[in-house]
Amino acid sequence: MPDPQVSSGCYVYGIVGAADIPPQECHGVGDARVDYVRSGPLAAAVSAYDQQGEVSLRADLTAHTRVLDWLAERTTVIPMAFGTVTDDATAVVESIIGPGAEMLVDLLEWLRGTSQFNLRGLYHRERVLSEVVLADPGLTRLHERTRELPQGQPDPELIRLGEGVSAALDRQKAEDSERILGAVEPFVVDLRDRVSGDMDQVFDLALLVPQAQRGRVEATLEEIAEAEHERIRLQLTGPFPPYDFVKDLPWVS
Amino acid sequence: MTQQAMQRRGGGYLERPAPSGLADVVEVILDKGLVIDAYVRVSLVGIELLTIDARIVVASVDTYLRFAEATNRLDLYEQGGKDLGEFIGDLQEKGASKKTSGVISGAKKAITGGDDDDDSSGRRPARKSSTRRRQTDDA
């Protein structure tokens, strides 16, 4: 068994099926060769890691992502959080693969044949703000009364305007999200919220897309992007390893 | 980031930006991936540096002022070259037909059975799973 010869630590990239380990070679954090720690049906992709060494955030992040992209192109992988390091290969089994083996096997099965895509919807701010304000006579009046006020002054009417606009935008977002996501939901396995953003952001989602549905997802989104382009910009990135679909396991803190 | 991500669809409305810089990498993997609760055996190196909590937007006076100022920076009456009356007319018409227009919302209803209409926090994932999505505001 090719356990890594590590003295000071084991950097863990992700978990794959033991039967699906890619035969090719790959190098990861600190340019160390990626190796696999096997345990039953599972294997963790790891490399030697000097815990006393210098952390180069840029290089390490790039290497972490590169290895996971590389794995995801060849097999199904459960990505570990960036920066996961154990003392040695034994600890990988004891702490990571061992305790959750059954669940990890299920998770791998669920993820098989899929990729993550990130989808973001962004409003054309001026257009949508105008819509929500002009659609509400109360907000229109507040806007007219407060538009000449000097900026940064917490006038009560200004705060009421902001509160109203914020609530109206939230309703608009819910409505637009439901309409747009309803169209792609049939073609994805799952979708998750990502980071909530600024007032312009309609949604920021991770989609788990089966290989076979990729074309339909893209075609559907292209159609929607065309239909909505005066109000909303749609951005699709990926494929990525399923970073957003491996959290929330019961045995994970 | 990956081969496929580099491809750009020509002439489309759907934007396909290719993640390139460090910021894009961080955006994709920040706070993502499997985290193990394994006491002392596992450490997360460098995570402190990445804990940029952009998730919680607190609805405060400051936030509302931001919305108000964004609104009042606009000249609302020049949108699309229409005058106010015409624009409001369009909106009212649009508002009135909202419930019934759009094949997409019809499709959504057919799929979900419209069971989450009152979910003001937005839509929820279609997967009926035992592992519930974590709320964005828990730590």
Side-chain angles (χ1 to χ4, degrees):
Chain A
M1 187 146 124
D3 276 354
Q5 295 305 302
V6 290
S7 51
S8 55
C10 222
Y11 190 98
V12 191
Y13 301 91
I15 297 157
V16 299
D20 306 322
I21 293 172
Q24 302 91 337
E25 224 176 73
C26 173
H27 293 260
V29 173
D31 209 31
R33 189 164 59 88
V34 173
D35 215 326
Y36 300 88
V37 179
R38 293 168 170 83
S39 171
L42 298 168
V46 303
S47 64
Y49 184 82
D50 181 2
Q51 297 196 57
Q52 259 62 59
E54 263 179 48
V55 174
S56 163
L57 196 56
R58 175 182 287 269
D60 292 356
L61 267 170
T62 309
H64 174 90
T65 341
R66 196 185 57 236
V67 170
L68 283 167
D69 281 343
W70 185 87
L71 285 167
E73 277 168 28
R74 287 161 179 80
T75 183
T76 309
V77 60
I78 298 171
M80 298 295 297
F82 169 72
T84 303
V85 176
T86 63
D87 289 341
D88 51 30
T90 314
V92 174
V93 175
E94 284 176 2
S95 309
I96 300 175
I97 320 182
E102 221 171 287
M103 213 156 296
L104 291 170
V105 169
D106 287 351
L107 185 56
L108 274 177
E109 200 45 53
W110 184 63
L111 294 170
R112 198 168 297 280
T114 65
S115 302
Q116 174 173 332
F117 285 82
N118 293 348
L119 177 66
R120 186 178 287 159
L122 296 165
Y123 281 132
H124 292 295
R125 178 186 293 189
E126 305 193 350
R127 169 71 180 254
V128 174
L129 276 184
S130 296
E131 281 178 14
V132 300
V133 172
L134 295 179
D136 181 330
L139 290 180
T140 312
R141 272 195 305 277
L142 277 171
H143 164 67
E144 280 163 1
R145 282 210 296 268
T146 58
R147 63 188 310 201
E148 302 305 335
L149 285 173
Q151 284 205 0
Q153 192 171 310
D155 182 275
E157 288 211 312
L158 204 55
I159 294 167
R160 274 178 53 213
L161 172 67
E163 199 174 354
V165 169
S166 163
L169 260 187
D170 282 348
R171 285 193 297 274
Q172 189 65 51
K173 285 178 186 181
E175 189 183 308
D176 288 328
S177 298
E178 174 161 327
R179 188 181 63 255
I180 292 172
L181 301 177
V184 287
E185 262 177 339
F187 310 123
V188 304
V189 177
D190 197 4
L191 32 84
R192 302 274 168 102
D193 285 323
R194 282 175 47 79
V195 188
S196 45
D198 205 14
M199 65 177 83
D200 300 335
Q201 187 175 293
V202 192
F203 49 74
D204 186 359
L205 294 158
L207 312 177
L208 191 63
V209 183
Q211 198 73 39
Q213 299 286 19
R214 222 186 250 191
R216 295 187 72 173
V217 168
E218 284 182 315
T220 305
L221 288 172
E222 175 58 41
E223 237 170 73
I224 297 167
E226 183 171 4
E228 306 271 348
H229 79 274
E230 288 185 346
R231 304 177 60 245
I232 296 172
R233 291 165 56 200
L234 284 185
Q235 293 177 339
L236 185 73
T237 49
F240 300 116
Y243 292 111
D244 287 83
F245 295 95
V246 299
K247 294 190 121 187
D248 303 346
L249 298 180
W251 57 283
V252 171
S253 76
Chain B
M1 186 166 296
T2 62
Q3 290 290 316
Q4 291 94 325
M6 303 300 288
Q7 292 171 3
R8 254 184 168 282
R9 295 165 65 87
Y13 286 93
L14 177 62
E15 298 172 26
R16 296 299 313 268
S20 52
L22 185 64
D24 291 333
V25 172
V26 170
E27 200 275 324
V28 171
I29 75 163
L30 172 68
D31 194 28
K32 307 295 179 190
L34 190 59
V35 180
I36 302 288
D37 175 27
Y39 318 111
V40 289
R41 304 304 279 286
V42 177
S43 59
L44 292 180
V45 178
I47 284 298
E48 309 79 57
L49 297 169
L50 287 174
T51 314
I52 309 155
D53 201 341
R55 291 174 301 175
I56 304 162
V57 182
V58 182
S60 64
V61 167
D62 282 353
T63 309
Y64 292 146
L65 280 176
R66 252 173 8 91
F67 277 92
E69 278 167 12
T71 304
N72 285 353
R73 269 198 299 274
L74 302 175
D75 192 347
L76 298 180
Y77 310 125
E78 285 182 0
Q79 289 296 314
K82 292 175 178 171
D83 70 34
L84 180 59
E86 199 184 336
F87 194 57
I88 288 178
D90 284 357
L91 287 163
Q92 283 165 345
E93 200 178 317
K94 185 164 159 279
S97 60
K98 256 173 200 165
K99 286 289 172 208
T100 48
S101 74
V103 282
I104 296 169
S105 91
K108 158 80 177 172
K109 285 232 161 50
I111 294 145
T112 62
D115 63 341
D116 56 359
D117 284 350
D118 58 349
D119 186 0
S120 60
S121 66
R123 34 90 288 116
R124 41 175 102 104
R127 186 164 71 113
K128 292 176 277 301
S129 83
S130 56
T131 61
R132 286 200 45 85
R133 194 161 48 108
R134 208 173 283 184
Q135 293 302 304
T136 51
D137 57 352
D138 83 18

